[in-house]
């Protein structure tokens, strides 16, 4: 779905936010991007839907160079993006208006619009809240509304740039549940996160440091490399650290650790 080939990006001459990044994220993959603040995660995410254009190198979306898309709107429709702050993404006076905003701008007819609103609110668990004022929703609900807004454009991939960072644990869990459902339905997901528990759910973990891609592998493999990660200011979940200490490297969950330790429960 996404292919980066030797992508370098400079915000101003000489300051590299991305340096020679090459990465493949297959269609249907759930990828998690991790790394310290300033490591280039958001810059990378913004290349995936044409918000930024590489200074050098190539970005392919769905096999096509992003520069070959007739217009950037076409690319943004294909790749939805959800940002960190739930309050900054509200564009409607009601939940349904908010969802309708994007498709309306594309001139989607009324019947089709109703159908899409019902469908995407179902996907994010907001059915029954159509008339609610988005400002009165919880943080988790607001982010699910932002996801619904992105889904209403019928994208082929969804990017979440620290979309759970400002949420309480319940809100974050709600968003994650939506992502699980979308992933099961075949959606390509690129999730930037500082939560290692969330990374454990992904199929591919992508580690960024200093604008460079350091590792791209399944989380279990990444989680074995505790010392290197620490050098890039990435801290593993306590259960993984404990497992690594006990020689059961790369455990993703308590259940996995206990199973591997053969502790009956
Ligand atoms: N608009 C900008 N102008 C100049 N430099 C920027 C801008 N946005 C980000 N940067 C710099 O680019 C680097 C990567 O930033 P970013 O991609 O936001 O990292 P992350 O999302 O991992 O925190 C950082 O050094 C940051 O200071
Ligand atoms: Mg960022």
């Amino acid at each position: 779905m996404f292919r980066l080939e030797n992508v370098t990006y400079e915000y101003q001459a000489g300051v590299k936010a991305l340096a020679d990044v090459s990465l493949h994220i297959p269609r249907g993959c759930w990828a998690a991007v991790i790394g310290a603040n300033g490591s280039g995660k958001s810059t990378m995410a913004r290349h995936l839907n044409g918000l930024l254009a590489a200074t050098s190198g190539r970005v392919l979306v769905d096999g096509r160079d992003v520069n070959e898309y007739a217009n950037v709107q076409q690319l943004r429709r294909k790749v939805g993006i959800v940002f960190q702050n739930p309050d900054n993404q509200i564009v409607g006076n009601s939940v349904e208006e908010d969802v309708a905003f994007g498709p309306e701008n594309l001139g989607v007819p009324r019947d089709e619009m109703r159908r899409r609103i019902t469908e995407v609110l179902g996907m994010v668990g907001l059915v029954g809240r159509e008339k609610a004022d988005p400002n009165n929703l919880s943080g988790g609900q607001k982010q699910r509304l932002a996801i619904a807004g992105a889904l209403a454009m019928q994208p082929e991939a969804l990017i979440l740039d620290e979309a759970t960072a400002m949420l309480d644990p319940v809100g974050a869990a709600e968003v994650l549940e939506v992502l699980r459902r979308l992933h099961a339905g075949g959606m390509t997901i690129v999730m930037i996160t500082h939560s290692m528990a969330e990374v454990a759910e992904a199929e591919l973990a992508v580690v960024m440091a200093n604008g460079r891609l350091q590792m791209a592998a399944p989380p279990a493999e990444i989680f074995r490399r505790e010392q290197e990660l620490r050098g890039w200011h990435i801290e593993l979940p306590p259960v993984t650290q404990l497992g690594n200490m006990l020689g059961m490297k790369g455990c993703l969950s308590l259940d996995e650790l206990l199973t591997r330790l053969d502790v009956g429960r």
Side-chain angles (χ1 to χ4, degrees), residues 41-42 161-162:
K41 304 181 299 295
S42 294
D161 191 350
E162 301 197 35

Side-chain angles (χ1 to χ4, degrees), residues 24-40:
H24 178 221
I25 300 176
R27 182 174 282 272
C29 178
W30 183 347
V33 182
I34 56 178
N37 289 334
S39 59

Side-chain angles (χ1 to χ4, degrees), residues 8-247:
T8 293
Y9 185 81
E10 302 179 0
Y11 283 101
Q12 57 253 90
V15 186
K16 283 187 181 150
L18 290 180
D20 200 25
V21 172
S22 296
L23 173 67
H24 178 221
I25 300 176
R27 182 174 282 272
C29 178
W30 183 347
V33 182
I34 56 178
N37 289 334
S39 59
K41 304 181 299 295
S42 294
T43 305
M44 192 213 289
R46 283 165 168 76
H47 278 74
L48 302 181
N49 82 335
L51 286 172
L52 291 176
T55 306
S56 67
R58 289 212 307 165
V59 178
L60 300 154
V61 176
D62 211 10
R64 271 169 81 192
D65 190 312
V66 290
N67 297 318
E68 284 168 20
Y69 281 81
N71 58 53
V72 79
Q73 293 311 324
Q74 194 189 353
L75 180 57
R76 295 200 188 144
R77 214 176 309 161
K78 226 178 170 62
V79 183
I81 187 159
V82 175
F83 295 101
Q84 185 177 66
N85 190 331
D87 294 311
N88 289 350
Q89 297 173 82
I90 295 171
V91 291
N93 294 317
S94 70
V95 164
E96 60 184 7
E97 246 180 54
D98 196 274
V99 172
F101 184 81
E104 222 155 47
N105 284 338
L106 295 180
V108 170
R110 209 183 149 71
D111 286 355
E112 165 67 7
M113 183 76 86
R114 282 253 58 93
R115 195 195 62 73
R116 282 198 200 180
I117 291 172
T118 306
E119 180 185 67
V120 300
L121 290 182
M123 286 163 103
V124 303
L126 284 175
V127 170
R129 306 305 304 271
E130 288 80 359
K131 306 291 177 198
D133 179 349
N135 294 295
N136 294 336
L137 299 178
S138 71
Q141 288 171 330
K142 283 177 188 164
Q143 284 303 59
R144 285 187 283 140
L145 175 59
I147 293 173
L151 293 177
M153 305 295 277
Q154 303 188 316
E156 293 171 35
L158 201 56
I159 297 168
L160 302 109
D161 191 350
E162 301 197 35
T164 59
M166 294 176 74
L167 305 183
D168 59 29
V170 171
E174 289 169 358
V175 168
L176 211 63
E177 185 53 38
V178 170
L179 296 185
R180 286 188 199 109
R181 275 207 297 274
L182 290 173
H183 176 60
M187 181 70 73
T188 307
I189 297 173
V190 180
M191 164 182 79
I192 296 171
T193 183
H194 287 290
S195 160
M196 291 304 131
E198 291 178 6
V199 175
E201 301 228 12
E203 294 163 306
L204 178 70
V206 176
V207 181
M208 296 293 297
N210 308 314
R212 291 185 178 276
L213 186 144
Q214 306 290 352
M215 305 173 178
E221 224 169 282
I222 301 284
F223 282 13
R224 298 170 71 93
R225 298 165 70 174
E226 190 169 340
Q227 288 312 318
E228 284 164 273
L229 293 174
R230 194 161 285 150
W232 299 318
H233 304 276
I234 297 166
E235 191 85 353
L236 290 173
V239 64
T240 309
Q241 292 190 36
L242 179 62
N244 286 350
M245 208 180 290
L246 296 171

